């Protein structure tokens, strides 16, 4: 059920299925937690519940409900700790770290990212290792620690390269693909000021490795448009943003809304460019209220 609900959210945004996930959690899973079971069954049940609770937190965050998301991530962490599952505990910490990064809380983001990496230090799945090290690199870049960001990004690259031939597992972290790594690393490089490498990485995420979810592809296209504009290539930015708007139709995600608002504001200075004016008009339905 967590996988089914997660697939829907990854395709169309967290706003589409959160009420279904919450109802399933309250009506079906909660009575099981109150039941009687052996210790191994209890650990498996707590681990599975941690994954579902984390998904609900991610859905809430994707709707812009940061306080609610934070509480769910905290519950997911406690459930994972009770289950004795370090990967799930690290995943919950990563949810909190990403939230802190997006809100600009630099010191908090860095400390939680460090704790996340420490929790995951003995994991064998290279995808999971890359997932958490990439988050640490992002937090370090936000904090202005170029040396730590560069080292963590190199570690994440080595790990994801080791995972390239192995099929993904069932966990949240094991679905961190080369394409998603290319997107995240590109945005970290952009934060560090390397716009050429950032453009190359985002291009790889879209064209070479592919992204199998519409929501993910839309966000990458929006980020690529922003980087093209920062490099002074208006035509490339307009092309990327046009593809972003096409991909965003029907997606309920605050990240897509914020990307549309960012594009809308940046194009305001190009009132004399017909294509820019057209894109702003098309973006208006996506703008957050």
């Amino acid at each position: 059920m967590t996988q089914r609900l997660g697939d829907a959210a990854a395709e169309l945004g967290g706003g589409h299925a959160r009420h279904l996930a919450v109802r399933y959690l309250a009506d079906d899973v909660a009575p099981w937690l109150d039941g009687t079971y052996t210790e191994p069954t209890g650990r498996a049940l707590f681990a599975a519940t941690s994954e579902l609770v984390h998904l609900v937190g991610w859905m809430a965050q994707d709707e812009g409900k940061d306080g609610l998301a934070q509480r769910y991530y905290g519950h997911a962490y406690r459930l994972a700790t009770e289950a004795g599952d370090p990967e799930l505990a690290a995943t919950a910490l990563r949810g909190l770290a990403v939230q802190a990064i997006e809100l600009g809380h630099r010191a908090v983001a860095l400390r939680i990212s460090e704790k996340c990496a420490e929790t995951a230090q003995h994991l064998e799945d290279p995808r999971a290792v890359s997932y958490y090290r990439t988050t640490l690199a992002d937090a370090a870049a936000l904090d202005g620690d170029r040396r730590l960001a560069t080292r963590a990004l190199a570690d994440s690259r080595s790990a994801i390269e080791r995972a390239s031939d192995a099929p993904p597992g069932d966990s949240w972290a094991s679905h961190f693909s080369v394409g998603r790594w290319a997107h995240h690393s590109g945005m970290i490089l952009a934060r560090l000021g390397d716009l050429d490498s950032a453009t190359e990485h985002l291009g790889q995420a879209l064209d070479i490795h592919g992204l199998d979810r519409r929501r993910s592809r839309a966000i990458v296209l929006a980020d690529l448009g922003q980087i093209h504009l920062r490099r002074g290539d208006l035509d490339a930015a307009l092309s990327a943003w046009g593809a972003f708007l096409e991909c965003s139709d029907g997606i309920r995600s605050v990240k897509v809304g914020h990307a549309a608002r960012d594009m809308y504001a940046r194009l305001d200075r190009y009132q004399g460019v017909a294509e820019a004016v057209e894109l702003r008009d098309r973006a208006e339905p996506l703008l957050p209220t």
Side-chain angles (χ1 to χ4, degrees), residues 16-212:
H16 271 275
R18 185 171 65 87
H19 67 288
L20 297 176
V22 170
R23 181 173 297 177
Y24 179 63
L25 179 63
D27 294 349
D28 294 276
V29 178
W32 298 339
L33 292 174
D34 289 334
T36 302
Y37 34 75
T38 64
E39 182 174 342
T41 298
R43 288 184 180 275
L45 178 59
F46 272 65
T49 306
S50 175
E51 290 186 281
L52 176 60
V53 171
H54 181 87
L55 173 63
V56 176
W58 181 90
M59 289 171 163
Q61 185 176 350
D62 202 43
E63 285 188 278
K65 302 179 185 299
D66 290 313
L68 183 62
Q70 188 178 87
R71 291 194 292 275
Y72 275 113
Y73 289 145
H75 287 308
Y77 177 76
R78 286 188 287 273
L79 286 161
T81 302
E82 188 72 20
D85 192 315
E87 182 181 323
L88 293 178
T91 298
L93 289 171
R94 182 191 177 274
L96 291 167
V98 169
Q99 187 178 54
I101 290 169
E102 293 179 351
L103 294 173
H105 301 316
R106 297 184 300 169
V108 173
L110 183 59
R111 186 64 196 108
I112 297 177
S113 298
E114 289 173 335
K115 180 66 174 176
C116 171
E118 291 168 9
T119 302
Q121 62 183 326
H122 298 302
L123 297 180
E124 296 182 358
D125 184 350
R127 281 189 176 85
V129 172
S130 179
Y131 193 48
Y132 307 127
R133 296 299 291 182
T134 301
T135 305
L136 177 57
D138 198 5
L142 175 66
D143 198 43
D145 191 337
R146 190 179 190 90
R147 184 171 61 177
L148 176 57
T150 302
R151 185 172 72 245
L153 191 58
D155 291 343
S156 74
R157 178 172 192 146
S158 297
I160 202 66
E161 286 175 346
R162 294 198 307 272
S164 59
D165 296 328
D170 295 327
S171 70
W172 186 287
S174 70
H175 282 79
F176 189 59
S177 65
V178 177
R180 287 176 172 79
W181 176 86
H183 175 214
H184 286 288
S185 62
M187 297 311 294
I188 293 166
L189 289 166
R191 201 189 292 275
L192 294 173
D194 188 351
L195 298 182
D196 291 342
S197 294
T199 303
E200 180 182 351
H201 277 68
L202 266 63
Q204 290 175 350
L206 290 168
D207 301 329
I208 298 176
H209 304 296
L211 290 168
D212 56 351

